[in-house]
Structures are given as structure tokens and as C-alpha cells.
Amino acid sequence: MGIEAVVPTLKAIGKAIRSMEEPAVEKIAEETHDDPFRVLIATLLSAQTKDAVTAGASARLFQIAHTPKTMAALTVRRIERLIYPVSFYRTKARHVKEACRQILDDFGGVVPRTMEELLTLAGVGRKTANLVLILSHASQDNICVDTHVHRISNRLGWVKTRTPDQTEQALYRVVPRKWWPDVNLYLVTWGQNVCKPVFPRCRACVVSALCPRQGVTRESRA
Ligand code: SF4
């Protein structure tokens, strides 16, 4: 088991997640017709934050401002109050305001479309840039790796890596290209519902026969 199980595993997970709730940023993308600005800001807010909190914070912020110009006009304090209680809300509020200013000053008010340009924005790393490219620009060339994708790819034995950035590069080598845009949606949903960080629900997992459970020491009894 391992790399040869990648496609059967993705197919099984893709089918199983149809009945599960979508991750917050995916929902925001659908609700905003894939607006790159709101996908960018929601992804910035989502880091190390539960989906329900990200959804609430994004909704409050976007109700007051949903363009770079209107958001840049808010004070950092106001953004902090709107996005609280997302984790690191003070740092994220500063990044949001600074990223809006950069989009206005450096990119004519339009969220850039390339990895290199996106990475120049405050608070934006490869995870955020990849998600904007996949969800808002329909990129077929990127895999977005967050903590769920990193953890589950290792448990499944697809990769053996220490960091999300290493995982991203390793996944480009083992996942067939047509599946690249789906990896994030599939594994994030799986991570939130089944393959949880602590006590994964291996007994209820539809891919348990394809999974070597690398590094799993405790699992849910449910
Ligand atoms: S069998 Fe367990 S470790 Fe493997 S994907 Fe399923 S829940 Fe995760």
C-alpha cells in the first residue's frame, strides 16, 4: 500500500465527503462566485481556526467591507474587533489591512493571479496562495497543503515529510495531475470529519483497507 493506492483512495474519499459539510473557505468561494479577494481574506483568517469561527468572522468583516479599497479604509482595531475570536486576530488584522494596501498600491486593486505575486502580500504563504489560485482562478497546476493535507498524506503513506511545504512538493510527484485541485477539498473535509488530528476514526473510515496508518498511535473507539 502507498502510492499505488492514491487514486482509489481519492475516489473513495471523494464519494464519501458528498454527505459532509464543506470547509468554510470553499463555502465562501461558492457564495461569492469565487471572488479572489474574499477567498484570500477568508483563507488568511482560517489559519489555525475552527471553521465555524472563520465563517462568522468572515461574514462580519465582509458585511462591513468586501473590496480592497473599503477594507483598507478600516482601522486595524476595527478589523480586530470584527474578526475576533479567530486565532492570532491581532496579527491577522494587521496582515489584512497591509495586504489590502498592497493590492491597491502594487496591483491596481486586483488580487494578483500568480504564486510569485501572491506571496508578496502580507501574511500570505503557499497555502493561501494555492487556495486562491485553485478556487478563484481554476488553476489545475496547484496542490494546496494545509495541516490536514499534511497529516493525512503522511498517515496514508503517500509521503514521508516533516512540513506542509515538503508535503506539497512530494504530492506533485505522487498524485496524478488531474486530482491536484481536489486534494485540498477532499483531505480537509476528511480531516475535519474522519481522520482527525487526535483519535482518527479509523474504524469508520472507508479507506482503512488502503491506509497503513503511518504514525497513528491512538484511534477513536467510535
Ligand atoms: S484509516 Fe485512520 S489514519 Fe487512515 S485515513 Fe482513515 S482515519 Fe485516517
Side-chain angles (χ1 to χ4, degrees), residues 65-127:
H66 63 266
T67 64
K69 193 171 176 189
T70 52
M71 205 172 283
L74 302 176
T75 63
V76 170
R77 187 76 189 108
R78 181 97 195 270
I79 298 172
E80 283 178 5
R81 280 199 291 262
L82 288 165
I83 66 175
Y84 181 85
V86 298
S87 58
F88 310 111
Y89 65 95
R90 289 202 169 98
T91 304
K92 288 178 181 174
R94 274 193 287 107
H95 285 162
V96 164
K97 180 157 171 100
E98 176 61 8
C100 290
R101 187 200 61 74
Q102 288 175 288
I103 292 169
L104 291 172
D105 292 352
D106 303 341
F107 300 103
V110 177
V111 174
R113 300 178 69 101
T114 69
M115 172 63 73
E116 293 70 25
E117 290 171 325
L118 284 163
L119 289 176
T120 66
L121 299 177
V124 173
R126 291 193 64 88
K127 183 197 85 170

Tab-separated table of all heavy atoms in Angstrom, residues 65-127:
chain	number	residue	atom	x	y	z
A	65	ALA	N	-17.034	45.424	4.805
A	65	ALA	CA	-16.160	45.744	3.670
A	65	ALA	C	-15.845	44.477	2.902
A	65	ALA	O	-15.464	43.476	3.513
A	65	ALA	CB	-14.865	46.368	4.182
A	66	HIS	N	-16.024	44.504	1.581
A	66	HIS	CA	-15.649	43.307	0.820
A	66	HIS	C	-14.866	43.634	-0.450
A	66	HIS	O	-14.831	42.859	-1.400
A	66	HIS	CB	-16.855	42.412	0.522
A	66	HIS	CG	-17.900	43.066	-0.340
A	66	HIS	ND1	-18.982	43.711	0.190
A	66	HIS	CD2	-18.017	43.163	-1.676
A	66	HIS	CE1	-19.729	44.184	-0.788
A	66	HIS	NE2	-19.159	43.862	-1.943
A	67	THR	N	-14.214	44.812	-0.429
A	67	THR	CA	-13.282	45.140	-1.513
A	67	THR	C	-11.976	45.608	-0.866
A	67	THR	O	-11.980	46.061	0.290
A	67	THR	CB	-13.810	46.294	-2.396
A	67	THR	OG1	-13.889	47.475	-1.581
A	67	THR	CG2	-15.170	45.973	-2.989
A	68	PRO	N	-10.856	45.533	-1.600
A	68	PRO	CA	-9.592	46.006	-1.022
A	68	PRO	C	-9.690	47.466	-0.575
A	68	PRO	O	-9.161	47.841	0.468
A	68	PRO	CB	-8.597	45.838	-2.170
A	68	PRO	CG	-9.183	44.782	-3.040
A	68	PRO	CD	-10.665	44.924	-2.931
A	69	LYS	N	-10.392	48.291	-1.348
A	69	LYS	CA	-10.462	49.716	-1.029
A	69	LYS	C	-11.225	49.963	0.281
A	69	LYS	O	-10.763	50.686	1.157
A	69	LYS	CB	-11.144	50.456	-2.186
A	69	LYS	CG	-10.990	51.949	-2.113
A	69	LYS	CD	-11.475	52.611	-3.383
A	69	LYS	CE	-11.392	54.120	-3.217
A	69	LYS	NZ	-12.030	54.815	-4.312
A	70	THR	N	-12.393	49.345	0.395
A	70	THR	CA	-13.189	49.596	1.611
A	70	THR	C	-12.534	48.944	2.832
A	70	THR	O	-12.580	49.491	3.929
A	70	THR	CB	-14.638	49.081	1.443
A	70	THR	OG1	-14.597	47.711	0.997
A	70	THR	CG2	-15.406	49.909	0.446
A	71	MET	N	-11.885	47.796	2.629
A	71	MET	CA	-11.262	47.131	3.777
A	71	MET	C	-9.996	47.869	4.223
A	71	MET	O	-9.712	47.978	5.410
A	71	MET	CB	-10.951	45.669	3.454
A	71	MET	CG	-10.890	44.794	4.695
A	71	MET	SD	-10.756	43.036	4.298
A	71	MET	CE	-12.435	42.624	3.828
A	72	ALA	N	-9.264	48.414	3.265
A	72	ALA	CA	-8.051	49.165	3.608
A	72	ALA	C	-8.391	50.416	4.401
A	72	ALA	O	-7.552	50.940	5.148
A	72	ALA	CB	-7.282	49.530	2.340
A	73	ALA	N	-9.620	50.907	4.247
A	73	ALA	CA	-10.019	52.130	4.950
A	73	ALA	C	-10.369	51.861	6.415
A	73	ALA	O	-10.493	52.807	7.210
A	73	ALA	CB	-11.219	52.768	4.234
A	74	LEU	N	-10.533	50.602	6.789
A	74	LEU	CA	-10.840	50.284	8.189
A	74	LEU	C	-9.567	50.383	9.027
A	74	LEU	O	-8.470	50.111	8.531
A	74	LEU	CB	-11.393	48.861	8.311
A	74	LEU	CG	-12.662	48.522	7.520
A	74	LEU	CD1	-12.997	47.043	7.703
A	74	LEU	CD2	-13.830	49.389	7.961
A	75	THR	N	-9.715	50.732	10.292
A	75	THR	CA	-8.540	50.721	11.172
A	75	THR	C	-8.236	49.269	11.562
A	75	THR	O	-9.124	48.392	11.511
A	75	THR	CB	-8.805	51.508	12.471
A	75	THR	OG1	-9.861	50.854	13.174
A	75	THR	CG2	-9.178	52.956	12.172
A	76	VAL	N	-6.977	49.043	11.956
A	76	VAL	CA	-6.606	47.703	12.409
A	76	VAL	C	-7.481	47.301	13.599
A	76	VAL	O	-7.933	46.163	13.709
A	76	VAL	CB	-5.105	47.646	12.779
A	76	VAL	CG1	-4.758	46.343	13.477
A	76	VAL	CG2	-4.244	47.825	11.524
A	77	ARG	N	-7.739	48.264	14.475
A	77	ARG	CA	-8.563	47.990	15.675
A	77	ARG	C	-9.961	47.516	15.274
A	77	ARG	O	-10.504	46.588	15.852
A	77	ARG	CB	-8.632	49.280	16.522
A	77	ARG	CG	-9.301	49.105	17.843
A	77	ARG	CD	-8.394	48.392	18.846
A	77	ARG	NE	-9.147	48.047	20.046
A	77	ARG	CZ	-9.508	46.818	20.391
A	77	ARG	NH1	-9.158	45.789	19.637
A	77	ARG	NH2	-10.187	46.595	21.482
A	78	ARG	N	-10.520	48.167	14.262
A	78	ARG	CA	-11.869	47.787	13.822
A	78	ARG	C	-11.853	46.375	13.234
A	78	ARG	O	-12.731	45.556	13.503
A	78	ARG	CB	-12.345	48.797	12.753
A	78	ARG	CG	-13.760	48.525	12.226
A	78	ARG	CD	-14.763	49.386	12.954
A	78	ARG	NE	-16.138	48.934	12.745
A	78	ARG	CZ	-16.927	49.344	11.770
A	78	ARG	NH1	-16.471	50.205	10.897
A	78	ARG	NH2	-18.173	48.911	11.674
A	79	ILE	N	-10.819	46.085	12.424
A	79	ILE	CA	-10.717	44.743	11.836
A	79	ILE	C	-10.553	43.712	12.956
A	79	ILE	O	-11.195	42.661	12.941
A	79	ILE	CB	-9.537	44.671	10.831
A	79	ILE	CG1	-9.759	45.639	9.673
A	79	ILE	CG2	-9.381	43.238	10.294
A	79	ILE	CD1	-8.563	45.794	8.737
A	80	GLU	N	-9.735	44.040	13.949
A	80	GLU	CA	-9.565	43.119	15.092
A	80	GLU	C	-10.912	42.792	15.715
A	80	GLU	O	-11.222	41.633	15.988
A	80	GLU	CB	-8.686	43.773	16.179
A	80	GLU	CG	-7.212	43.776	15.891
A	80	GLU	CD	-6.438	44.490	16.999
A	80	GLU	OE1	-7.025	44.889	18.032
A	80	GLU	OE2	-5.226	44.678	16.812
A	81	ARG	N	-11.692	43.833	15.967
A	81	ARG	CA	-12.984	43.611	16.638
A	81	ARG	C	-13.919	42.771	15.773
A	81	ARG	O	-14.677	41.951	16.265
A	81	ARG	CB	-13.640	44.944	16.990
A	81	ARG	CG	-13.059	45.558	18.261
A	81	ARG	CD	-13.991	46.608	18.847
A	81	ARG	NE	-14.045	47.779	17.989
A	81	ARG	CZ	-13.337	48.893	18.196
A	81	ARG	NH1	-12.562	49.002	19.250
A	81	ARG	NH2	-13.434	49.905	17.380
A	82	LEU	N	-13.869	42.988	14.457
A	82	LEU	CA	-14.765	42.248	13.560
A	82	LEU	C	-14.373	40.772	13.447
A	82	LEU	O	-15.228	39.907	13.318
A	82	LEU	CB	-14.758	42.892	12.164
A	82	LEU	CG	-15.483	44.236	12.054
A	82	LEU	CD1	-15.104	44.940	10.752
A	82	LEU	CD2	-16.996	44.044	12.142
A	83	ILE	N	-13.082	40.481	13.473
A	83	ILE	CA	-12.659	39.095	13.223
A	83	ILE	C	-12.468	38.284	14.503
A	83	ILE	O	-12.356	37.052	14.438
A	83	ILE	CB	-11.367	39.012	12.373
A	83	ILE	CG1	-10.170	39.594	13.128
A	83	ILE	CG2	-11.569	39.703	11.034
A	83	ILE	CD1	-8.841	39.419	12.382
A	84	TYR	N	-12.422	38.955	15.660
A	84	TYR	CA	-12.306	38.222	16.916
A	84	TYR	C	-13.460	37.218	17.008
A	84	TYR	O	-14.554	37.561	16.621
A	84	TYR	CB	-12.366	39.226	18.082
A	84	TYR	CG	-12.240	38.581	19.433
A	84	TYR	CD1	-10.995	38.310	19.969
A	84	TYR	CD2	-13.389	38.233	20.155
A	84	TYR	CE1	-10.882	37.693	21.204
A	84	TYR	CE2	-13.285	37.614	21.381
A	84	TYR	CZ	-12.036	37.342	21.894
A	84	TYR	OH	-11.920	36.713	23.115
A	85	PRO	N	-13.283	35.980	17.442
A	85	PRO	CA	-12.122	35.384	18.108
A	85	PRO	C	-11.260	34.468	17.226
A	85	PRO	O	-10.824	33.428	17.717
A	85	PRO	CB	-12.794	34.567	19.207
A	85	PRO	CG	-14.048	34.027	18.518
A	85	PRO	CD	-14.458	35.076	17.511
A	86	VAL	N	-11.001	34.790	15.970
A	86	VAL	CA	-10.073	33.934	15.217
A	86	VAL	C	-8.715	33.956	15.932
A	86	VAL	O	-8.362	34.936	16.589
A	86	VAL	CB	-9.885	34.377	13.733
A	86	VAL	CG1	-11.169	34.302	12.954
A	86	VAL	CG2	-9.249	35.746	13.618
A	87	SER	N	-7.966	32.883	15.801
A	87	SER	CA	-6.672	32.838	16.471
A	87	SER	C	-5.741	33.893	15.864
A	87	SER	O	-5.861	34.216	14.676
A	87	SER	CB	-6.049	31.454	16.335
A	87	SER	OG	-5.915	31.144	14.976
A	88	PHE	N	-4.865	34.436	16.703
A	88	PHE	CA	-3.909	35.471	16.273
A	88	PHE	C	-4.620	36.642	15.579
A	88	PHE	O	-4.165	37.159	14.564
A	88	PHE	CB	-2.849	34.880	15.337
A	88	PHE	CG	-2.204	33.631	15.876
A	88	PHE	CD1	-2.440	32.395	15.293
A	88	PHE	CD2	-1.364	33.687	16.989
A	88	PHE	CE1	-1.859	31.243	15.806
A	88	PHE	CE2	-0.783	32.538	17.496
A	88	PHE	CZ	-1.028	31.315	16.908
A	89	TYR	N	-5.777	37.053	16.156
A	89	TYR	CA	-6.583	38.058	15.459
A	89	TYR	C	-5.857	39.396	15.313
A	89	TYR	O	-6.090	40.132	14.352
A	89	TYR	CB	-7.947	38.237	16.158
A	89	TYR	CG	-7.863	38.808	17.544
A	89	TYR	CD1	-8.017	40.171	17.778
A	89	TYR	CD2	-7.619	37.982	18.636
A	89	TYR	CE1	-7.934	40.693	19.049
A	89	TYR	CE2	-7.527	38.498	19.916
A	89	TYR	CZ	-7.682	39.851	20.113
A	89	TYR	OH	-7.588	40.361	21.372
A	90	ARG	N	-4.959	39.696	16.258
A	90	ARG	CA	-4.234	40.978	16.140
A	90	ARG	C	-3.287	40.947	14.938
A	90	ARG	O	-3.259	41.877	14.126
A	90	ARG	CB	-3.442	41.270	17.414
A	90	ARG	CG	-4.320	41.627	18.584
A	90	ARG	CD	-3.547	42.423	19.638
A	90	ARG	NE	-4.460	42.966	20.612
A	90	ARG	CZ	-4.710	42.414	21.806
A	90	ARG	NH1	-4.091	41.304	22.162
A	90	ARG	NH2	-5.577	42.958	22.627
A	91	THR	N	-2.519	39.870	14.830
A	91	THR	CA	-1.590	39.744	13.695
A	91	THR	C	-2.366	39.672	12.387
A	91	THR	O	-2.008	40.327	11.390
A	91	THR	CB	-0.745	38.459	13.858
A	91	THR	OG1	-0.096	38.524	15.118
A	91	THR	CG2	0.278	38.328	12.748
A	92	LYS	N	-3.434	38.881	12.381
A	92	LYS	CA	-4.211	38.736	11.145
A	92	LYS	C	-4.828	40.069	10.729
A	92	LYS	O	-4.898	40.391	9.539
A	92	LYS	CB	-5.284	37.656	11.319
A	92	LYS	CG	-4.698	36.247	11.354
A	92	LYS	CD	-5.768	35.199	11.579
A	92	LYS	CE	-5.163	33.799	11.647
A	92	LYS	NZ	-6.154	32.764	12.002
A	93	ALA	N	-5.289	40.870	11.702
A	93	ALA	CA	-5.887	42.174	11.360
A	93	ALA	C	-4.842	43.068	10.686
A	93	ALA	O	-5.134	43.754	9.699
A	93	ALA	CB	-6.432	42.839	12.620
A	94	ARG	N	-3.615	43.040	11.214
A	94	ARG	CA	-2.546	43.833	10.588
A	94	ARG	C	-2.264	43.339	9.166
A	94	ARG	O	-2.112	44.124	8.237
A	94	ARG	CB	-1.269	43.756	11.430
A	94	ARG	CG	-1.194	44.779	12.543
A	94	ARG	CD	0.206	44.886	13.139
A	94	ARG	NE	0.559	43.745	13.968
A	94	ARG	CZ	1.421	42.783	13.637
A	94	ARG	NH1	2.045	42.816	12.475
A	94	ARG	NH2	1.667	41.787	14.463
A	95	HIS	N	-2.200	42.017	9.020
A	95	HIS	CA	-1.941	41.455	7.688
A	95	HIS	C	-3.060	41.807	6.707
A	95	HIS	O	-2.793	42.132	5.542
A	95	HIS	CB	-1.802	39.928	7.786
A	95	HIS	CG	-0.494	39.491	8.385
A	95	HIS	ND1	-0.286	38.235	8.890
A	95	HIS	CD2	0.676	40.152	8.552
A	95	HIS	CE1	0.958	38.143	9.344
A	95	HIS	NE2	1.552	39.285	9.149
A	96	VAL	N	-4.300	41.732	7.166
A	96	VAL	CA	-5.433	42.035	6.284
A	96	VAL	C	-5.321	43.472	5.773
A	96	VAL	O	-5.429	43.738	4.573
A	96	VAL	CB	-6.778	41.819	7.028
A	96	VAL	CG1	-7.931	42.489	6.292
A	96	VAL	CG2	-7.055	40.325	7.202
A	97	LYS	N	-5.082	44.390	6.692
A	97	LYS	CA	-5.010	45.810	6.281
A	97	LYS	C	-3.827	46.032	5.331
A	97	LYS	O	-3.961	46.696	4.302
A	97	LYS	CB	-4.890	46.702	7.522
A	97	LYS	CG	-4.820	48.172	7.147
A	97	LYS	CD	-5.231	49.077	8.247
A	97	LYS	CE	-4.934	50.527	7.889
A	97	LYS	NZ	-6.078	51.263	7.416
A	98	GLU	N	-2.675	45.456	5.667
A	98	GLU	CA	-1.483	45.643	4.844
A	98	GLU	C	-1.652	44.987	3.465
A	98	GLU	O	-1.264	45.562	2.436
A	98	GLU	CB	-0.256	45.069	5.571
A	98	GLU	CG	1.044	45.108	4.786
A	98	GLU	CD	1.517	46.508	4.403
A	98	GLU	OE1	0.937	47.499	4.868
A	98	GLU	OE2	2.465	46.594	3.597
A	99	ALA	N	-2.239	43.795	3.444
A	99	ALA	CA	-2.460	43.120	2.152
A	99	ALA	C	-3.389	43.942	1.263
A	99	ALA	O	-3.169	44.061	0.053
A	99	ALA	CB	-3.033	41.714	2.377
A	100	CYS	N	-4.418	44.550	1.875
A	100	CYS	CA	-5.328	45.405	1.091
A	100	CYS	C	-4.564	46.590	0.502
A	100	CYS	O	-4.753	46.944	-0.669
A	100	CYS	CB	-6.479	45.905	1.962
A	100	CYS	SG	-7.646	44.618	2.410
A	101	ARG	N	-3.711	47.206	1.318
A	101	ARG	CA	-2.927	48.344	0.823
A	101	ARG	C	-2.033	47.905	-0.334
A	101	ARG	O	-1.930	48.580	-1.363
A	101	ARG	CB	-2.072	48.926	1.963
A	101	ARG	CG	-1.362	50.226	1.579
A	101	ARG	CD	-0.187	50.536	2.469
A	101	ARG	NE	0.868	49.534	2.442
A	101	ARG	CZ	1.737	49.345	1.451
A	101	ARG	NH1	1.658	50.085	0.368
A	101	ARG	NH2	2.665	48.406	1.524
A	102	GLN	N	-1.394	46.743	-0.180
A	102	GLN	CA	-0.506	46.253	-1.252
A	102	GLN	C	-1.299	45.980	-2.533
A	102	GLN	O	-0.823	46.270	-3.633
A	102	GLN	CB	0.180	44.964	-0.801
A	102	GLN	CG	1.242	45.168	0.269
A	102	GLN	CD	1.783	43.825	0.743
A	102	GLN	OE1	1.098	43.079	1.434
A	102	GLN	NE2	3.003	43.516	0.355
A	103	ILE	N	-2.483	45.384	-2.383
A	103	ILE	CA	-3.295	45.093	-3.579
A	103	ILE	C	-3.638	46.405	-4.303
A	103	ILE	O	-3.580	46.491	-5.531
A	103	ILE	CB	-4.578	44.313	-3.191
A	103	ILE	CG1	-4.213	42.911	-2.701
A	103	ILE	CG2	-5.547	44.225	-4.378
A	103	ILE	CD1	-5.358	42.155	-2.039
A	104	LEU	N	-3.951	47.446	-3.508
A	104	LEU	CA	-4.280	48.742	-4.112
A	104	LEU	C	-3.048	49.388	-4.745
A	104	LEU	O	-3.087	49.843	-5.890
A	104	LEU	CB	-4.852	49.684	-3.045
A	104	LEU	CG	-6.234	49.319	-2.499
A	104	LEU	CD1	-6.583	50.208	-1.318
A	104	LEU	CD2	-7.296	49.440	-3.586
A	105	ASP	N	-1.936	49.409	-3.996
A	105	ASP	CA	-0.750	50.155	-4.450
A	105	ASP	C	0.048	49.400	-5.511
A	105	ASP	O	0.600	50.002	-6.430
A	105	ASP	CB	0.189	50.445	-3.266
A	105	ASP	CG	-0.425	51.436	-2.298
A	105	ASP	OD1	-1.484	51.994	-2.629
A	105	ASP	OD2	0.150	51.624	-1.216
A	106	ASP	N	0.146	48.086	-5.356
A	106	ASP	CA	1.057	47.325	-6.231
A	106	ASP	C	0.346	46.598	-7.369
A	106	ASP	O	0.989	46.203	-8.341
A	106	ASP	CB	1.830	46.273	-5.408
A	106	ASP	CG	2.617	46.899	-4.270
A	106	ASP	OD1	2.859	48.118	-4.335
A	106	ASP	OD2	2.970	46.178	-3.316
A	107	PHE	N	-0.980	46.354	-7.208
A	107	PHE	CA	-1.657	45.527	-8.206
A	107	PHE	C	-2.948	46.175	-8.730
A	107	PHE	O	-3.849	45.464	-9.208
A	107	PHE	CB	-1.957	44.134	-7.619
A	107	PHE	CG	-0.708	43.399	-7.192
A	107	PHE	CD1	-0.360	43.309	-5.850
A	107	PHE	CD2	0.143	42.841	-8.135
A	107	PHE	CE1	0.803	42.656	-5.462
A	107	PHE	CE2	1.309	42.179	-7.761
A	107	PHE	CZ	1.640	42.091	-6.416
A	108	GLY	N	-3.047	47.480	-8.618
A	108	GLY	CA	-4.183	48.197	-9.190
A	108	GLY	C	-5.527	47.783	-8.616
A	108	GLY	O	-6.560	47.886	-9.291
A	109	GLY	N	-5.530	47.307	-7.382
A	109	GLY	CA	-6.793	46.957	-6.732
A	109	GLY	C	-7.309	45.573	-7.067
A	109	GLY	O	-8.422	45.205	-6.674
A	110	VAL	N	-6.499	44.795	-7.798
A	110	VAL	CA	-6.943	43.456	-8.221
A	110	VAL	C	-6.026	42.404	-7.584
A	110	VAL	O	-4.793	42.535	-7.644
A	110	VAL	CB	-6.880	43.325	-9.764
A	110	VAL	CG1	-7.273	41.919	-10.205
A	110	VAL	CG2	-7.784	44.368	-10.410
A	111	VAL	N	-6.621	41.368	-6.999
A	111	VAL	CA	-5.821	40.294	-6.399
A	111	VAL	C	-4.974	39.643	-7.494
A	111	VAL	O	-5.505	39.245	-8.534
A	111	VAL	CB	-6.730	39.230	-5.741
A	111	VAL	CG1	-5.909	38.040	-5.244
A	111	VAL	CG2	-7.517	39.847	-4.589
A	112	PRO	N	-3.655	39.571	-7.280
A	112	PRO	CA	-2.804	39.007	-8.340
A	112	PRO	C	-3.112	37.545	-8.616
A	112	PRO	O	-3.704	36.844	-7.790
A	112	PRO	CB	-1.387	39.180	-7.782
A	112	PRO	CG	-1.533	39.396	-6.328
A	112	PRO	CD	-2.878	40.013	-6.111
A	113	ARG	N	-2.660	37.075	-9.793
A	113	ARG	CA	-3.011	35.736	-10.266
A	113	ARG	C	-1.838	34.773	-10.299
A	113	ARG	O	-1.976	33.660	-10.791
A	113	ARG	CB	-3.566	35.814	-11.698
A	113	ARG	CG	-4.802	36.657	-11.848
A	113	ARG	CD	-5.220	36.681	-13.307
A	113	ARG	NE	-5.707	35.396	-13.734
A	113	ARG	CZ	-6.984	35.086	-13.850
A	113	ARG	NH1	-7.895	35.996	-13.587
A	113	ARG	NH2	-7.356	33.887	-14.232
A	114	THR	N	-0.665	35.207	-9.829
A	114	THR	CA	0.474	34.282	-9.871
A	114	THR	C	0.971	34.005	-8.453
A	114	THR	O	0.826	34.844	-7.551
A	114	THR	CB	1.654	34.847	-10.683
A	114	THR	OG1	2.209	35.952	-9.959
A	114	THR	CG2	1.232	35.285	-12.068
A	115	MET	N	1.568	32.835	-8.285
A	115	MET	CA	2.134	32.455	-6.995
A	115	MET	C	3.145	33.498	-6.527
A	115	MET	O	3.103	33.944	-5.381
A	115	MET	CB	2.795	31.072	-7.134
A	115	MET	CG	3.581	30.610	-5.940
A	115	MET	SD	2.588	30.377	-4.458
A	115	MET	CE	1.699	28.875	-4.846
A	116	GLU	N	4.049	33.899	-7.407
A	116	GLU	CA	5.102	34.831	-7.021
A	116	GLU	C	4.514	36.144	-6.499
A	116	GLU	O	4.947	36.666	-5.480
A	116	GLU	CB	6.020	35.135	-8.227
A	116	GLU	CG	6.842	33.960	-8.709
A	116	GLU	CD	6.016	32.852	-9.386
A	116	GLU	OE1	4.922	33.153	-9.917
A	116	GLU	OE2	6.454	31.685	-9.343
A	117	GLU	N	3.513	36.660	-7.180
A	117	GLU	CA	2.911	37.927	-6.759
A	117	GLU	C	2.098	37.753	-5.479
A	117	GLU	O	2.160	38.590	-4.573
A	117	GLU	CB	2.030	38.478	-7.874
A	117	GLU	CG	2.813	38.963	-9.083
A	117	GLU	CD	1.911	39.300	-10.264
A	117	GLU	OE1	0.872	38.616	-10.463
A	117	GLU	OE2	2.243	40.246	-10.986
A	118	LEU	N	1.355	36.660	-5.400
A	118	LEU	CA	0.546	36.437	-4.190
A	118	LEU	C	1.433	36.350	-2.947
A	118	LEU	O	1.081	36.848	-1.879
A	118	LEU	CB	-0.283	35.153	-4.335
A	118	LEU	CG	-1.521	35.275	-5.241
A	118	LEU	CD1	-2.026	33.892	-5.654
A	118	LEU	CD2	-2.630	36.055	-4.532
A	119	LEU	N	2.600	35.746	-3.100
A	119	LEU	CA	3.493	35.572	-1.950
A	119	LEU	C	4.091	36.889	-1.458
A	119	LEU	O	4.663	36.936	-0.369
A	119	LEU	CB	4.620	34.582	-2.288
A	119	LEU	CG	4.202	33.113	-2.433
A	119	LEU	CD1	5.387	32.250	-2.852
A	119	LEU	CD2	3.585	32.579	-1.140
A	120	THR	N	3.946	37.966	-2.236
A	120	THR	CA	4.441	39.271	-1.760
A	120	THR	C	3.451	39.923	-0.796
A	120	THR	O	3.797	40.894	-0.122
A	120	THR	CB	4.694	40.256	-2.932
A	120	THR	OG1	3.448	40.584	-3.555
A	120	THR	CG2	5.664	39.684	-3.950
A	121	LEU	N	2.229	39.413	-0.725
A	121	LEU	CA	1.207	40.042	0.129
A	121	LEU	C	1.414	39.656	1.597
A	121	LEU	O	1.782	38.510	1.903
A	121	LEU	CB	-0.191	39.601	-0.315
A	121	LEU	CG	-0.588	39.965	-1.749
A	121	LEU	CD1	-1.966	39.396	-2.076
A	121	LEU	CD2	-0.582	41.487	-1.937
A	122	ALA	N	1.126	40.583	2.487
A	122	ALA	CA	1.327	40.356	3.917
A	122	ALA	C	0.536	39.135	4.387
A	122	ALA	O	-0.648	38.993	4.071
A	122	ALA	CB	0.859	41.586	4.697
A	123	GLY	N	1.204	38.271	5.111
A	123	GLY	CA	0.530	37.119	5.711
A	123	GLY	C	0.240	35.979	4.762
A	123	GLY	O	-0.332	34.959	5.169
A	124	VAL	N	0.587	36.124	3.494
A	124	VAL	CA	0.241	35.092	2.504
A	124	VAL	C	1.411	34.128	2.305
A	124	VAL	O	2.504	34.520	1.919
A	124	VAL	CB	-0.157	35.725	1.153
A	124	VAL	CG1	-0.349	34.650	0.083
A	124	VAL	CG2	-1.437	36.530	1.316
A	125	GLY	N	1.153	32.853	2.601
A	125	GLY	CA	2.118	31.791	2.338
A	125	GLY	C	1.605	30.909	1.216
A	125	GLY	O	0.573	31.208	0.586
A	126	ARG	N	2.290	29.812	0.985
A	126	ARG	CA	1.912	28.957	-0.154
A	126	ARG	C	0.507	28.384	-0.010
A	126	ARG	O	-0.208	28.215	-0.993
A	126	ARG	CB	2.928	27.819	-0.322
A	126	ARG	CG	4.284	28.288	-0.796
A	126	ARG	CD	5.141	27.118	-1.234
A	126	ARG	NE	4.592	26.438	-2.384
A	126	ARG	CZ	4.834	26.770	-3.660
A	126	ARG	NH1	5.623	27.773	-3.934
A	126	ARG	NH2	4.286	26.076	-4.643
A	127	LYS	N	0.084	28.076	1.224
A	127	LYS	CA	-1.248	27.502	1.395
A	127	LYS	C	-2.320	28.475	0.883
A	127	LYS	O	-3.182	28.102	0.084
A	127	LYS	CB	-1.512	27.178	2.866
A	127	LYS	CG	-2.858	26.519	3.088
A	127	LYS	CD	-3.293	26.562	4.531
A	127	LYS	CE	-3.988	27.873	4.840
A	127	LYS	NZ	-4.635	27.915	6.143
